[in-house]
Amino acid sequence: HLARARRITERLFDATPTDDPDFRRSTADVFLLCVSDDALPEVVRTLKWPERGLLVHTSGTRSLAELHEWLGYRPGWATGVLYPL
């Protein structure tokens, strides 16, 4: 899957695909979780992300409350759902 991500991000400015779920050193402000609805809980539970970042998932069937549950949500974290039809 990483090779596929590299092909996609070749067309994007300053995008770096990775298969490492530790984003704590990233300078990004927004983190989009674009994985299947079934994979979302497992992926979210492995993430390490900077608390200053905005974490958004694109699921049409999973709620923001579920995202918070999987994260062990703390007040002040910026999270959201973006479901582009």
Side-chain angles (χ1 to χ4, degrees):
H1 295 102
L2 189 55
R4 186 176 185 191
R6 285 191 177 111
R7 285 194 307 273
I8 293 169
T9 58
E10 286 173 351
R11 295 175 261 164
L12 302 173
F13 173 75
D14 201 21
T16 307
T18 182
D19 57 359
D20 182 359
D22 188 345
F23 295 97
R24 291 176 292 190
R25 292 187 178 164
S26 175
T27 59
D29 294 319
V30 179
F31 299 85
L32 294 175
L33 297 174
C34 304
V35 299
S36 72
D37 292 357
D38 291 337
L40 195 57
E42 180 181 345
V43 170
V44 169
R45 287 182 181 119
T46 64
L47 284 178
K48 295 174 180 75
W49 59 291
E51 292 185 24
R52 64 163 179 19
L54 170 61
L55 183 64
V56 177
H57 76 70
T58 59
S59 171
T61 63
R62 300 296 192 142
S63 70
L64 189 57
E66 287 175 296
L67 178 64
H68 291 172
E69 179 184 328
W70 303 323
L71 284 170
Y73 182 76
R74 294 190 303 238
W77 280 3
T79 56
V81 177
L82 173 67
Y83 180 61
L85 288 175

